Amino acid sequence: MDFEAVTKFIQKTFQTETFLPLHEPRFIGNEKAYLNECIDSTFVSSVGAFVDRFESDFAAYVGSRYAVATVNGTAALHIALLLADVQQDDEVITQPLTFIATANAISYIGAHPVFVDVDKETMGLSPDALQIFLEAHCKVSDARCINTTSGKIIKACVPMHTFGHPCRIDEIKALCDQWHIALVEDAAESLGSTYKNRHTGTFGALGAFSFNGNKIITSGGGGVIVTDDEDLAKRAKHISTTAKIPHKWEYVHDEIGYNYRLPNLNAALLCAQLENLDRFLEDKRMLASIYEPFFSSASITFVKEPQSSRSNYWLQTLILNDKEEQEAFLSYTNDHGVMTRPIWRLMNKLEMFKKCQCGDLSNALWLEDRVVNIPSGVRL
């Protein structure tokens, strides 16, 4: 591979020869105006008009009945798993090829991740691998999925839509329904992505999104839980607000709760960011249309949206030939001012998850040695 030509092409695409980050936020709308309005109101914490407005606007955008805003995506996933009745010592099936937050949120409850392979085409949880694992290791008893290898209850399944590319979520849902497993979508990276004309995060009982500083829209942090279930939405709001019973002056809390509500300041930013989301998505698709023919001509695999999907192309992704080429590519580009990165280290290779049960992870291992992300920010 001609690393120099690739580096220069990426710099030319972004019209810069200075340091080029992997992704950076864009604030081109009403962010400052809404922040000033929020400050003038003095409601800057977790109560305020912008929190309510953002939850309403976000639910409408993705097509869910309810949205509950949280301080970050990890908190959103943690609460979603609690709402799915995941308890200490339960098991949760997820993919090993994911950001650490997925496995951390499971662990916060004292539950145990079980790692099942991904599809090469989507880099998300494979329904084929999931079916093989369930048929080999599980049985249904009293409307519960029991892992016959560990003896534990498999309470939930958490697929992740990797880099914004939807996994085969309808097939995963069908398996979860068949095996009495709650489906909780980690949609942290997939705002603006749809599968069969339905927004990611809305197939399961609950979905979780992130607004970290490197996401398509951001408030520096932030997350949100989406659901169509009114009772789940009310409970999400309750336990993410320290489980305080509403009262004008008394402080009474009826269960263990979490201080996870999104501050009004952050919500003000997100309201403004959401107004420009469609423009950001259009630019990312345009960037993909520039990248794809260049890398195809260089015999490099550029990851395109999967079948039946419309991807947000959050992070533009290449699949190289092997580990040696991956390391050489990362070294050259980063040494020459173009930030690139590999995919995550597999969760089951991390010290705290080495003892977790795994299925055959051949695809995840293959991708770990080959995937790189290249600059993916919105160009104005």
Side-chain angles (χ1 to χ4, degrees):
M1 183 192 301
D2 188 340
F3 297 137
E4 181 179 5
V6 169
T7 301
K8 288 183 176 179
F9 174 77
I10 294 172
Q11 289 172 327
K12 181 181 178 181
T13 300
F14 282 86
Q15 298 181 336
T16 182
E17 293 183 359
T18 60
F19 174 74
L20 185 56
L22 189 70
H23 200 285
E24 60 184 346
R26 295 293 190 187
F27 303 106
I28 60 173
N30 289 312
E31 287 87 355
K32 291 181 180 179
Y34 291 169
L35 282 173
N36 284 334
E37 184 179 335
C38 181
I39 291 167
D40 290 343
S41 76
T42 74
F43 287 92
V44 296
S45 191
S46 56
V47 175
F50 283 109
V51 177
D52 296 336
R53 174 179 164 182
F54 174 70
E55 289 176 333
S56 176
D57 290 351
F58 191 86
Y61 189 91
V62 301
S64 64
R65 290 184 64 194
Y66 305 100
V68 178
T70 62
V71 291
N72 55 53
T74 311
L77 189 55
H78 179 202
I79 294 293
L81 288 166
L82 290 171
L83 296 173
D85 195 35
V86 176
Q87 300 178 27
Q88 185 171 346
D89 224 27
D90 285 340
E91 292 181 338
V92 177
I93 294 175
T94 191
Q95 57 200 65
L97 198 70
T98 185
F99 181 57
I100 186 67
T102 311
N104 277 347
I106 296 167
S107 301
Y108 292 167
I109 302 172
H112 308 282
V114 174
F115 298 115
V116 170
D117 207 4
V118 298
D119 286 325
K120 285 183 179 180
E121 295 77 15
T122 69
M123 298 174 287
L125 187 71
S126 168
D128 299 329
L130 177 60
Q131 182 171 359
I132 290 169
F133 179 88
L134 290 170
E135 291 177 351
H137 297 281
C138 300
K139 67 177 182 179
V140 173
S141 177
D142 296 325
R144 300 180 303 171
C145 182
I146 308 298
N147 185 335
T148 55
T149 301
S150 66
K152 300 182 187 300
I153 300 171
I154 296 179
K155 192 65 69 69
C157 177
V158 184
M160 201 269 285
H161 301 288
T162 306
F163 305 141
H165 296 296
C167 60
R168 291 152 58 194
I169 190 65
D170 57 342
E171 297 175 57
I172 293 171
K173 183 182 186 309
L175 286 167
C176 288
D177 291 345
Q178 177 187 344
W179 288 84
H180 298 273
I181 299 170
L183 176 59
V184 178
E185 285 178 77
D186 185 344
E189 302 173 357
S190 63
L191 177 57
S193 297
T194 59
Y195 182 73
K196 295 183 178 178
N197 297 315
R198 183 173 174 178
H199 202 290
T200 57
T202 66
F203 286 80
L206 298 142
F209 292 82
S210 169
F211 310 113
N212 186 39
N214 64 353
K215 296 300 191 295
I216 292 181
I217 66 169
T218 184
S219 55
V224 71
I225 303 161
V226 297
T227 182
D228 286 338
D229 188 307
E230 183 179 7
D231 291 336
L232 290 179
K234 287 179 178 178
R235 181 157 165 74
K237 191 167 290 190
H238 181 61
I239 63 175
S240 64
T241 318
T242 69
K244 181 181 181 296
I245 298 174
H247 193 278
K248 287 184 178 180
W249 60 83
E250 287 187 346
Y251 287 88
V252 178
H253 306 258
D254 59 0
E255 62 178 307
I256 299 296
Y258 303 87
N259 192 13
Y260 277 177
R261 285 288 278 162
L262 183 75
N264 202 38
L265 274 172
N266 299 83
L269 275 173
L270 284 171
C271 285
Q273 288 270 283
L274 195 58
E275 291 172 350
N276 278 302
L277 175 56
D278 286 340
R279 178 179 176 181
F280 295 161
L281 292 169
E282 181 181 350
D283 186 89
K284 282 184 167 290
R285 294 186 67 81
M286 186 179 296
L287 178 60
S289 72
I290 295 170
Y291 274 154
E292 195 274 331
F294 172 83
F295 287 108
S296 294
S297 67
S299 299
I300 301 168
T301 300
F302 176 80
V303 177
K304 296 183 287 187
E305 61 191 0
Q307 188 176 4
S308 303
S309 300
R310 185 173 178 86
S311 297
N312 65 6
Y313 285 102
W314 170 55
L315 288 185
Q316 313 280 347
T317 305
L318 307 179
I319 298 178
L320 306 184
N321 290 312
D322 51 37
K323 182 68 173 177
E324 182 180 0
E325 186 175 58
Q326 181 195 51
E327 291 182 348
F329 180 92
L330 292 166
S331 178
Y332 185 91
T333 50
N334 282 285
D335 285 348
H336 289 80
V338 172
M339 184 179 178
T340 59
R341 76 173 196 193
I343 207 164
W344 313 278
R345 181 71 57 86
L346 297 189
M347 294 297 102
N348 60 297
K349 292 185 177 182
L350 301 180
E351 190 62 36
M352 54 281 200
F353 300 122
K354 283 183 176 179
K355 295 182 180 179
C356 292
Q357 185 178 1
C358 301
D360 176 10
L361 304 181
S362 299
N363 289 343
L365 287 163
W366 187 89
L367 289 164
E368 183 188 30
D369 285 346
R370 291 164 175 82
V371 168
V372 295
N373 296 123
I374 57 179
S376 307
V378 173
R379 302 160 307 128
L380 298 178

